[in-house]
Amino acid sequence: DTVMTQSPESLAVSLGERATINCKSSQSLLYSSNNKNSLAWYQQKPGQPPKLLIYWASTRQSGVPDRFSGSGSGTDFTLTISSLQAEDVAVYYCQQYYSTPYSFGQGTKLEIK
Amino acid sequence: QVQLQQRGAGLLKPSETLSLTCDVYGGAFSGYYWSWIRQPPGKGLEWIGEINHSGSTNYNPSLKSRVTISVDTPKYQFSLKLTSVTAADTAVYYCARGLPWGTGTNKYFDPWGQGNLVTVSS
């Protein structure tokens, strides 16, 4: 099974500043058939289901603000929020979908400093 | 816009069977994989399994011996059964649509149902 490890576990960033969350997989997520990485990012606010932000490592889901961006390839990935807004306070998860069982990182809690 | 509406019992005793159903509204059902995912209180997400409109399933090996996911395509619904529950199965259970559309089993999830808290307690 593919193990996903996020860092840091929690993060406090000032409003308007950049937030960076890392995700590392135990095996490469590069999908040879389309040369894309099978990695998604989700945002979860208290009492709500996760919301898809990014898929194929860097493709923003429709309606997601462009301050959210994803990067990386192979085994190392990053979610960046370019200018933190108050509504971005949440827990963020990465998910690999290269192979079943699909697996998630343990989550990164993002707060305002 | 596709919406997923979950229903099912929220309180179980140890050894009972968890049963949840997810109804799909506002979009196509066939051609997608439909998943169940759970989240213990205060913890992370665990994928349970998936099914497509024709009944083809994939399960997480960690739960496979106790899980059955079924589908009723004409009703646009799919269901989860988890047998012999224990306190470790206490969690919020979510249903979700797997993307992209198609037969491949490489899926990310959108949208998600509202979640059902299932508590196992004697």
Side-chain angles (χ1 to χ4, degrees):
Chain A
D1 296 0
T2 303
V3 177
M4 306 299 291
T5 305
Q6 290 182 228
S7 62
E9 290 191 359
S10 63
L11 179 63
V13 174
S14 300
L15 290 173
E17 296 299 305
R18 179 184 302 261
T20 301
I21 299 170
N22 301 302
C23 177
K24 188 175 185 66
S25 62
S26 61
Q27 59 182 281
S28 176
L29 303 183
L30 185 60
Y31 194 39
S32 58
S33 68
N34 62 5
N35 202 36
K36 294 182 178 182
N37 290 276
S38 303
L39 190 283
W41 289 98
Y42 300 86
Q43 175 194 66
Q44 186 178 32
K45 297 181 179 180
Q48 297 183 18
K51 172 189 173 183
L52 177 67
L53 297 176
I54 302 280
Y55 56 95
W56 297 124
S58 60
T59 302
R60 201 179 302 114
Q61 174 69 333
S62 175
V64 173
D66 61 6
R67 64 181 181 274
F68 290 90
S69 64
S71 62
S73 185
T75 61
D76 293 282
F77 302 90
T78 300
L79 174 70
T80 301
I81 308 172
S82 60
S83 176
L84 189 71
Q85 305 299 303
E87 61 265 31
D88 300 334
V89 169
V91 179
Y92 293 84
Y93 294 94
C94 59
Q95 177 228 334
Q96 67 81 18
Y97 52 98
Y98 181 85
S99 62
T100 58
Y102 309 123
S103 50
F104 296 84
Q106 78 276 22
T108 295
K109 186 175 184 179
L110 177 59
E111 299 174 313
I112 305 294
K113 185 187 291 183
Chain B
Q1 177 144 349
V2 174
Q3 294 186 32
L4 279 61
Q5 185 73 32
Q6 305 175 216
R7 50 191 168 89
L11 181 60
L12 297 173
K13 290 181 167 49
S15 80
E16 292 185 335
T17 296
L18 179 155
S19 182
L20 297 172
T21 295
C22 185
D23 295 293
V24 179
Y25 299 100
F29 190 82
S30 294
Y32 290 99
Y33 270 86
W34 302 91
S35 277
W36 288 98
I37 297 158
R38 71 179 183 178
Q39 184 173 37
K43 297 188 178 180
L45 299 157
E46 179 182 33
W47 177 74
I48 299 169
E50 64 185 358
I51 193 166
N52 70 2
H53 67 281
S54 62
S56 178
T57 55
N58 293 294
Y59 296 129
N60 192 324
S62 68
L63 295 167
K64 188 173 183 177
S65 64
R66 297 193 292 132
V67 171
T68 301
I69 298 176
S70 59
V71 67
D72 188 336
T73 299
K75 292 185 178 180
Y76 278 33
Q77 67 183 210
F78 61 107
S79 299
L80 169 70
K81 288 192 186 299
L82 180 66
T83 61
S84 305
V85 298
T86 69
D89 295 311
T90 294
V92 176
Y93 287 74
Y94 294 102
C95 58
R97 182 181 64 174
L99 292 173
W101 183 93
T103 57
T105 56
N106 308 89
K107 305 299 181 187
Y108 50 93
F109 307 111
D110 182 73
W112 296 56
Q114 81 277 15
N116 278 88
L117 174 60
V118 177
T119 302
V120 181
S121 175
S122 55

